[in-house]
Amino acid sequence: MRRNTSIVLLAVGHACVDIYQGAVAALIPFFVAERDYTYAVASGIVLAASLLSSVAQPLFGLLTDRWAMPWLLPVSTLLGGVGIALSGLSGSYGLTLFFVAVSGIGVAAYHPESARVARQASQGSHSAMGWFSLGGNIGFALAPLMVAAAIGHGSLHWTPVLVLPALVGAALCVPVLRMLARPQTGTTKTQTPRSADDVASFVKLSFAVVFRSVVFTGLSTFISLYAQQRMQGSPTAGTVALFLLFLGGAVGSVLGGSLAGRYDRVRVSRWSYLLSVAAVTGVIYTPGPAMFLFVALTSVGLYVPFSLQVTLGQDYLPSRIGTASGITLGLTVSIGGLISPLLGHLADTTTLQTALTPLIAMPALSWLLFRTLPEPAVSATRTVKPAPATARQDA
């Protein structure tokens, strides 16, 4: 019961934080419409959130491997919310980039420590980690709806309203941290030697996550604008497409944790990346409302491996769980944002459809890398019961 309560609260807190990752993409159409930004300039906002986040998350991971910093959860949640809340108040492009970057640092600080805490609370359960990831996906899905509700009928000056989820998320962190701070009777933790690390497999996994990040970030940045183009300029079509792209991730995360209980994580991830190749192709080239079906399939296909990749990374680097979380949840995911300006420049010089076409190759590359990965035999988080008193005396 204690584990379930902690995971539920962590999942809701994760949702509150990832609203701010989704909000960056959801704000792009409003920046384009209200400030006349080009595709390349608008995608620079995504770059600002991703660049600092990509550098900061592994650093925070290294720190959490040395020192437990649970206080980062509420502090980073507030930082992520304040940055987005202030991003629409100034017409200055430089200040907008700065505030979005502040939010990105908050998100960066949150993920490595939250993944470590979730791993501790879940006791190594793939299903529980899937629920934790589900929270983040729900946050992504809610972001375009919250942005549309806050500023859709007004202006960017309404962005301060978006600080509310951060206040809720920070408050939810407190009871979780108190529960986990209480000693658990009957269990002791064993230290994992660094010789157990499979660095080669972790590097391959990291590249697979990078390719997944490129396609997901590219679509999340431009799918709203692309759907509006395909549906005769309807802004509702853009909001629906972005909502489906994020909501499908919620289904994918739970499905991934369930499938991992029946099959190994590597095999499930390979299947999902093959599905993603076909789904991304459908998003870009299928005409009419059928596009929305392929958006949902793409989201599911890209998110089935998401939580599985986090636990795989932790199992490949069992002595450095914080670092593994910072890279799989942070660096590799954020690198996708670095590609967005290139896609924006290509869209400005050609068409948006042409710019999105290379994304079809990304899940195929992830599939190829997963074909070379082994399934770790033992979970990285080892919690063992102490031997009975009689057995200790006999020893």
Side-chain angles (χ1 to χ4, degrees):
M1 180 66 68
R2 177 173 164 183
R3 183 186 80 174
N4 292 341
T5 301
S6 296
I7 288 295
V8 169
L9 292 176
L10 284 169
V12 177
H14 194 188
C16 293
V17 171
D18 277 8
I19 281 175
Y20 300 111
Q21 282 192 301
V24 177
L27 285 168
I28 293 297
F30 295 98
F31 284 122
V32 171
E34 196 166 319
R35 299 182 181 174
D36 295 323
Y37 290 163
T38 65
Y39 291 140
V41 169
S43 58
I45 297 172
V46 179
L47 174 63
S50 299
L51 186 59
L52 283 176
S53 182
S54 65
V55 175
Q57 289 207 38
L59 296 179
F60 282 111
L62 288 170
L63 290 174
T64 58
D65 278 335
R66 298 194 64 180
W67 304 284
M69 295 186 289
W71 54 267
L72 270 180
L73 270 63
V75 171
S76 59
T77 300
L78 290 173
L79 197 61
V82 168
I84 291 298
L86 297 176
S87 66
L89 295 185
S90 172
S92 166
Y93 184 66
L95 281 177
T96 299
L97 292 178
F98 172 76
F99 289 129
V100 170
V102 167
S103 178
I105 292 175
V107 171
Y110 175 85
H111 281 97
E113 182 65 4
S114 68
R116 185 192 67 80
V117 171
R119 181 79 165 186
Q120 177 186 351
S122 70
Q123 300 172 6
S125 166
H126 301 320
S127 177
M129 286 298 288
W131 285 103
F132 170 69
S133 296
L134 169 65
N137 301 330
I138 290 175
F140 262 105
L142 290 176
L145 301 182
M146 292 198 66
V147 169
I151 64 177
H153 299 289
S155 72
L156 289 168
H157 292 293
W158 281 92
T159 54
V161 175
L162 297 174
V163 79
L164 294 177
L167 300 177
V168 174
L172 290 176
C173 291
V174 176
V176 175
L177 299 181
R178 285 178 178 171
M179 278 189 282
L180 295 180
R182 298 172 195 157
Q184 298 184 41
T185 58
T187 62
T188 58
K189 284 202 220 174
T190 60
Q191 200 70 16
T192 305
R194 292 203 172 194
S195 59
D197 293 345
D198 185 353
V199 177
S201 293
F202 181 77
V203 170
K204 293 176 185 177
L205 173 70
S206 297
F207 276 109
V209 181
V210 166
F211 294 133
R212 176 211 171 273
S213 171
V214 169
V215 63
F216 184 81
T217 307
L219 286 176
S220 64
T221 303
F222 295 111
I223 192 65
S224 182
L225 294 169
Y226 189 59
Q228 289 181 31
Q229 287 183 5
R230 300 292 295 275
M231 301 297 164
Q232 291 75 48
S234 168
T236 302
T239 300
V240 169
L242 195 59
F243 176 71
L244 288 175
L245 183 66
F246 293 162
L247 182 64
V251 177
S253 291
V254 175
L255 182 60
S258 176
L259 290 174
R262 299 183 59 186
Y263 311 97
D264 63 70
R265 290 166 290 177
V266 172
R267 188 186 309 176
V268 170
S269 298
R270 285 203 303 260
W271 292 343
S272 65
Y273 280 126
L274 276 180
L275 169 67
S276 299
V277 174
V280 174
T281 304
V283 169
I284 298 171
Y285 288 103
T286 299
M291 168 192 177
F292 296 114
L293 171 63
F294 285 105
V295 170
L297 289 175
T298 295
S299 183
V300 172
L302 292 176
Y303 264 101
V304 162
F306 187 75
S307 65
L308 308 184
Q309 290 168 159
V310 175
T311 59
L312 276 171
Q314 293 172 336
D315 288 350
Y316 287 143
L317 293 185
S319 73
R320 290 170 284 183
I321 287 179
T323 302
S325 302
I327 292 175
T328 54
L329 276 173
L331 177 63
T332 49
V333 173
S334 300
I335 284 176
L338 308 182
I339 307 299
S340 294
L342 299 178
L343 296 177
H345 177 71
L346 184 58
D348 285 333
T349 56
T350 58
T351 66
L352 197 48
Q353 184 179 66
T354 300
L356 295 178
T357 297
L359 298 181
I360 297 171
M362 298 297 107
L365 293 173
S366 295
W367 173 77
L368 288 172
L369 284 166
F370 262 92
R371 285 180 57 84
T372 69
L373 290 176
E375 176 72 21
V378 182
S379 175
T381 301
R382 297 175 176 84
T383 305
V384 297
K385 294 181 180 179
T390 54
R392 288 197 300 269
Q393 291 168 358
D394 291 341

